[in-house]
Amino acid sequence: MKYLRQNKVWNYFAIGALIGAIFFIAIYGFGVLNVTNDSWLLTGRDLQQHYIGWKYYRASDWFFPLGLHDGLTYPYKVSVLYTDSIPLFAIFFKLLSPILPETFQYFGLFGFLCYVLNGGFASVLIARINKSKIFCAMGSVFFILSTPVLQRLFGLLSENSRHTSLAAHFLILGALGIWMYREKFKDYKKAALAYSILGVLCVLIQMYIIFIVGGIMCGYLLHCILKEKDWKRFYIVFGTFVLSVLFAFFIAGGFTDVLNAGGEGYGRYSANLNALINPYNYSTFFSARPWCYDQYEGFSYVGLGIIVLYLSCAVVLVIKVVKVGSLRKAHALFKEKYKRHRCGIIPLICIVAVFWGLALSTIVYWGERIVIHIFPPEKIGVLLNVVRSSGRFMWVILYLIMLYGLYLISRFVSNKTLQKVIVGVCVCLQLLDLFAPIKRIHAQFTSEAVEDERFIHDSFWTDKLGDYKHIVYYPLNSYGLYHMLQIGTKASYFDMDQNYFYMSRFFTQDIIEEQNKACQKLFKTGQLAEDTLYITNYYNAHKYKGNFYLYEVDNTIIAVKNPIEGLKPYNDVYISKEEPEIKLEFSYTGLGRAFAHNGWNSPDYTDTGMWTSNQSVIRVYSGGAKKVRISLEYEGGKRKGETVIKFNGKKKATIPDNRQSGVITFDTEVKETVSEKKYKGINWLFLNTEKTFKAKQENTIQQRAIYVKSMTVTYLE
């Protein structure tokens, strides 16, 4: 305790940590800290994925490397890292598993530590600018209530943005802290150890943050090179950091030939040019500004308090310039200051430019409008896909903006009391601005949690699923990620393994082909394993019908060796006298999605239908029917115009006003489907809206016409 009292850095850390703890409890309550309470983790999306990943890892045997388990990708082993289940906590608590209660979760504890450490490190950074403990305490609130942390930690059910481990922003602040307190790391060993520890923690908490921490470290090393020509430090610190990261990645089981190394989509998950001033749903006073689809990754709203802080700085700066007497003298003073600190300013400008450039990506948007579109060489594009969710690099810029605003007030305002008053007012404005979103978050996590069963709600999943030991998807990519997530949740109650799950990386093409070939042999011969539940698609259900028993449960097609009492037999998708009616839903899990050929806006997790755009096409298969009746149930959009419906090239009906909802029915002749793979005999239903409007760009509301919910095909002759 004597050391802590004497060490001022720890005193500042304790101040911020305490404030962080208070805000966490105020926002999320005590319920999430109950390690036996897992109901709030089963409410859907990423948070549920992380928890199920931990459950399977805990139940698995030990393997080496330590992070491996095989319950979700049987018979292959993958790391708990790829369900973003926070390997640091997962490995530690798996060691303690024998003495832990049957139901145990550590995600509430992790969230609490994020708030505590984010606040502690923020206060230490601010202390470098201003030694006042009150000033540091108030300033740390901006960092503790960082909008990306509010968005990411546990998030809201209404948003596709929960990714718990990404709230560990103390790793980013820690990297900045080593740079700002560089004189305390003069010893190469200290600097190397500090950044290596951060690198290891990044691997064991959230791999993506390693790119951010590594970038900040490069800025620090460039500062050392410019200031002291210290190349030795560069080699030691950078080399140690890389080796430590690789070692931790190996121990966590990250090296794998089962999963793809990268994904796709660099440029899609980017930041908008308005990211810092776009409140999305996180402001009491301001409404969301436009952005492009999936740019929630770059969400970095600074908040009203920071905006007013910079306005205050501008006012003070004007007063300072007036006191100096002229702009020329003021410019000379700034120029002199730049010369004194250029060794630190240049690296700072470099990392801001690099991070901002990566965040904006190769497709730069202002709102919904494309400003710049760059087409990089293919090899560079593949490399950039490693950091495809590049909008996250905006977080560094957000924190630098906060720090710089506090720095300007500390330097421009000489009166210490006035400094505190200005920052205090800005903190109050920040709290008022964030009050509405915080209230929504608080209401969600202090009310009764309900497991998300929107896709999997039939009693089969609780009463009869436990009769099987394995779940096998064939083909592997036949179902949506959130659909698999809910099936995997039900399977976790019965200690069933499965051959596929919702992970941050997907199987390699070789693994997919290997698994599919093995299942194809079983389906051809009808030699399904009695203890295995096979989940398949309509194509295989039609192709191999009669070889085994097929059922449809909650829009999920299951195949089993032996009959299951009480389940609805699966209806074939080829309309015929034997199958006189087919109903296809176009929801996220509906079978209709598989028949939506071209021109559709893909449904979101919560969607009960699909939006048409321009010319949207549906395939209809005939197993002998010559004439059918087709009924389309749809909801209207917001764009006026008409939709012309054609079937096999012939106009059949018209929806005169796309803003109206309803059902449209027509009779039509059909041709028998010979081979759907070769497109022989497929019947094409066209919904033509291209004359209604011209889309400004892809994936925007401007493209949407009508919202198709379902299609019913009835046999006539």
Side-chain angles (χ1 to χ4, degrees):
M1 292 299 293
K2 182 179 179 182
Y3 170 77
L4 294 179
R5 285 194 298 270
Q6 292 175 343
N7 193 311
K8 292 182 179 180
V9 171
W10 280 105
N11 291 335
Y12 287 114
F13 182 90
I15 292 169
L18 178 61
I19 295 172
I22 292 170
F23 271 109
F24 180 87
I25 299 300
I27 295 170
Y28 300 100
F30 290 98
V32 297
L33 293 174
N34 179 354
V35 295
T36 62
N37 172 23
D38 66 353
S39 58
W40 62 281
L41 292 164
L42 299 172
T43 51
R45 303 203 185 195
D46 292 343
L47 197 60
Q48 189 166 337
Q49 176 213 24
H50 310 332
Y51 177 56
I52 299 304
W54 151 244
K55 285 186 69 177
Y56 270 92
Y57 176 67
R58 180 186 181 184
S60 172
D61 294 332
W62 281 104
F63 298 102
F64 187 82
L66 299 179
L68 294 180
H69 67 111
D70 61 357
L72 294 173
T73 53
Y74 186 83
Y76 305 102
K77 300 179 185 68
V78 296
S79 173
V80 68
L81 184 152
Y82 294 110
T83 50
D84 295 304
S85 302
I86 314 170
L88 178 67
F89 282 61
I91 294 171
F92 176 76
F93 286 113
K94 183 179 172 69
L95 288 168
L96 300 179
S97 187
I99 63 173
L100 297 177
E102 182 179 355
T103 298
F104 180 86
Q105 61 85 13
Y106 49 73
F107 295 92
L109 174 62
F110 174 77
F112 179 77
L113 288 176
C114 282
Y115 268 68
V116 167
L117 295 175
N118 290 355
F121 278 105
S123 183
V124 170
L125 294 184
I126 299 167
R128 186 66 170 165
I129 296 166
N130 193 310
K131 299 300 181 185
S132 167
K133 291 184 173 63
I134 295 175
F135 188 95
C136 292
M138 291 189 298
S140 67
V141 173
F142 294 120
F143 296 81
I144 293 166
L145 297 181
S146 162
T147 50
V149 172
L150 289 173
Q151 175 202 34
R152 292 291 182 172
L153 182 61
F154 302 141
L156 288 166
L157 289 176
S158 59
E159 296 174 7
N160 186 21
S161 57
R162 285 183 290 178
H163 207 140
T164 302
S165 57
L166 282 172
H169 286 200
F170 59 87
L171 298 170
I172 301 172
L173 301 179
L176 289 171
I178 297 170
W179 189 355
M180 292 179 69
Y181 285 85
R182 54 189 293 272
E183 76 281 355
K184 292 185 179 293
F185 297 91
K186 286 184 178 179
D187 188 331
Y188 296 144
K189 293 178 182 178
K190 282 187 178 181
L193 179 62
Y195 272 117
S196 294
I197 289 173
L198 283 179
V200 169
L201 288 175
C202 285
V203 173
L204 298 179
I205 294 176
Q206 173 48 246
M207 268 295 297
Y208 200 94
I209 298 178
I210 204 165
F211 299 109
I212 298 175
V213 169
I216 294 171
M217 180 188 70
C218 289
Y220 157 79
L221 292 174
L222 179 58
H223 187 173
C224 295
I225 290 170
L226 293 176
K227 185 77 174 175
E228 296 108 10
K229 309 294 188 239
D230 195 350
W231 285 96
K232 183 179 179 182
R233 179 180 298 271
F234 172 82
Y235 295 129
I236 292 174
V237 174
F238 189 84
T240 308
F241 176 80
V242 171
L243 291 174
S244 299
V245 165
L246 292 175
F247 178 74
F249 194 59
F250 169 72
I251 292 296
F255 291 106
T256 175
D257 57 358
V258 174
L259 304 177
N260 282 313
E264 295 180 355
Y266 182 77
R268 177 177 178 179
Y269 303 98
S270 60
N272 203 287
L273 279 170
N274 66 21
L276 294 168
I277 57 172
N278 188 346
Y280 186 37
N281 297 323
Y282 286 80
S283 174
T284 304
F285 306 114
F286 307 115
S287 57
R289 300 177 66 84
W291 61 15
C292 193
Y293 187 71
D294 282 335
Q295 287 193 320
Y296 63 85
E297 290 285 5
F299 173 62
S300 307
Y301 176 54
V302 295
L304 179 60
I306 293 295
I307 293 172
V308 172
L309 182 65
Y310 270 86
L311 290 175
S312 303
C313 291
V315 171
V316 174
L317 179 60
V318 170
I319 294 172
K320 287 279 185 183
V321 170
V322 171
K323 285 186 176 180
V324 168
S326 71
L327 285 172
R328 183 175 295 178
K329 289 182 180 179
H331 178 263
L333 289 172
F334 281 114
K335 191 174 180 180
E336 182 186 345
K337 194 151 193 154
Y338 167 75
K339 284 183 179 179
R340 255 187 293 143
H341 300 285
R342 62 182 293 274
C343 293
I345 293 173
I346 290 174
L348 192 60
I349 292 173
C350 287
I351 67 162
V352 168
V354 170
F355 282 150
W356 200 36
L358 286 171
L360 295 177
S361 80
T362 53
I363 310 174
V364 181
Y365 288 90
W366 172 257
E368 293 182 333
R369 188 179 298 276
I370 295 176
V371 178
I372 301 171
H373 195 168
I374 300 169
F375 298 91
E378 185 178 350
K379 290 184 179 179
I380 294 178
V382 171
L383 184 63
L384 288 172
N385 278 329
V386 175
V387 291
R388 65 176 191 148
S389 299
S390 63
R392 299 168 185 173
F393 288 112
M394 285 298 296
W395 300 339
V396 181
I397 297 170
L398 171 66
Y399 291 130
L400 290 176
I401 285 172
M402 290 178 178
L403 280 171
Y404 193 59
L406 294 170
Y407 169 82
L408 291 177
I409 284 296
S410 298
R411 295 298 179 269
F412 288 172
V413 179
S414 56
N415 187 299
K416 303 294 184 183
T417 302
L418 184 56
Q419 289 176 5
K420 295 169 191 170
V421 169
I422 292 172
V423 173
V425 170
C426 291
V427 168
C428 290
L429 290 173
Q430 192 84 343
L431 290 171
L432 288 172
D433 192 27
L434 298 176
F435 177 75
I438 287 174
K439 184 180 178 182
R440 292 197 302 272
I441 294 172
H442 178 78
Q444 177 177 309
F445 288 96
T446 55
S447 60
E448 184 179 356
V450 179
E451 181 178 340
D452 188 0
E453 299 177 305
R454 73 186 70 198
F455 306 146
I456 304 298
H457 49 76
D458 191 278
S459 59
F460 166 82
W461 304 106
T462 53
D463 297 343
K464 297 180 180 178
L465 184 62
D467 296 340
Y468 301 90
K469 293 182 180 179
H470 315 281
I471 292 177
V472 171
Y473 288 92
Y474 170 53
L476 278 178
N477 55 354
S478 53
Y479 281 82
L481 299 179
Y482 294 122
H483 199 162
M484 288 194 295
L485 173 59
Q486 292 188 15
I487 292 174
T489 300
K490 297 300 182 185
S492 72
Y493 299 143
F494 304 106
D495 296 324
M496 300 173 67
D497 61 52
Q498 50 202 87
N499 72 334
Y500 204 38
F501 189 65
Y502 173 22
M503 294 176 292
S504 59
R505 292 292 181 268
F506 304 114
F507 275 144
T508 63
Q509 191 59 38
D510 290 344
I511 295 293
I512 292 173
E513 290 176 3
E514 181 182 324
Q515 286 276 286
N516 287 342
K517 282 180 181 179
C519 286
Q520 186 181 40
K521 291 179 181 178
L522 297 176
F523 272 52
K524 272 184 178 179
T525 59
Q527 310 243 334
L528 305 188
E530 292 186 0
D531 63 352
T532 303
L533 181 79
Y534 297 86
I535 297 178
T536 190
N537 59 8
Y538 80 88
Y539 176 78
N540 289 313
H542 169 73
K543 187 174 182 179
Y544 301 111
K545 63 181 179 180
N547 290 4
F548 35 74
Y549 293 94
L550 286 163
Y551 301 95
E552 184 180 344
V553 188
D554 295 327
N555 280 320
T556 306
I557 305 171
I558 62 174
V560 288
K561 176 74 172 178
N562 300 316
I564 303 174
E565 292 184 7
L567 284 189
K568 170 189 171 185
Y570 172 69
N571 288 334
D572 193 16
V573 294
Y574 282 62
I575 188 74
S576 64
K577 192 173 183 179
E578 293 73 28
E579 301 290 348
E581 185 174 276
I582 299 168
K583 183 169 183 179
L584 301 173
E585 294 181 3
F586 288 82
S587 63
Y588 176 78
T589 57
L591 292 178
R593 283 184 66 191
F595 298 87
H597 186 65
N598 282 325
W600 297 86
N601 285 283
S602 298
D604 189 19
Y605 176 63
T606 57
D607 283 348
T608 57
M610 294 177 70
W611 286 99
T612 62
S613 61
N614 296 330
Q615 187 179 79
S616 303
V617 186
I618 304 172
R619 293 172 296 184
V620 179
Y621 302 137
S622 170
K626 296 180 181 179
K627 193 174 183 180
V628 298
R629 176 166 294 153
I630 294 179
S631 295
L632 285 168
E633 180 188 2
Y634 63 93
E635 290 182 5
K638 295 182 179 180
R639 309 277 304 187
K640 67 179 181 178
E642 67 175 21
T643 295
V644 177
I645 300 174
K646 292 182 178 180
F647 195 90
N648 289 341
K650 296 180 181 179
K651 182 178 177 180
K652 291 293 180 179
T654 300
I655 298 173
D657 187 351
N658 289 333
R659 295 170 296 181
Q660 300 296 318
S661 303
V663 177
I664 193 159
T665 303
F666 59 90
D667 296 347
T668 183
E669 294 179 346
V670 290
K671 53 189 176 184
E672 186 172 359
T673 304
V674 178
S675 172
E676 79 173 75
K677 284 275 184 175
K678 296 181 179 179
Y679 295 115
K680 290 184 177 181
I682 293 180
N683 298 278
W684 303 100
L685 174 64
F686 286 81
L687 302 171
N688 291 317
T689 58
E690 69 269 22
K691 293 182 180 178
T692 304
F693 55 87
K694 290 184 178 179
K696 292 182 180 178
Q697 66 209 41
E698 201 174 330
N699 292 324
T700 65
I701 194 71
Q702 280 84 3
Q703 273 194 297
R704 299 177 177 182
I706 60 171
Y707 188 69
V708 179
K709 300 189 71 175
S710 67
M711 180 178 76
T712 303
V713 184
T714 306
Y715 176 85
L716 295 179
E717 64 179 66

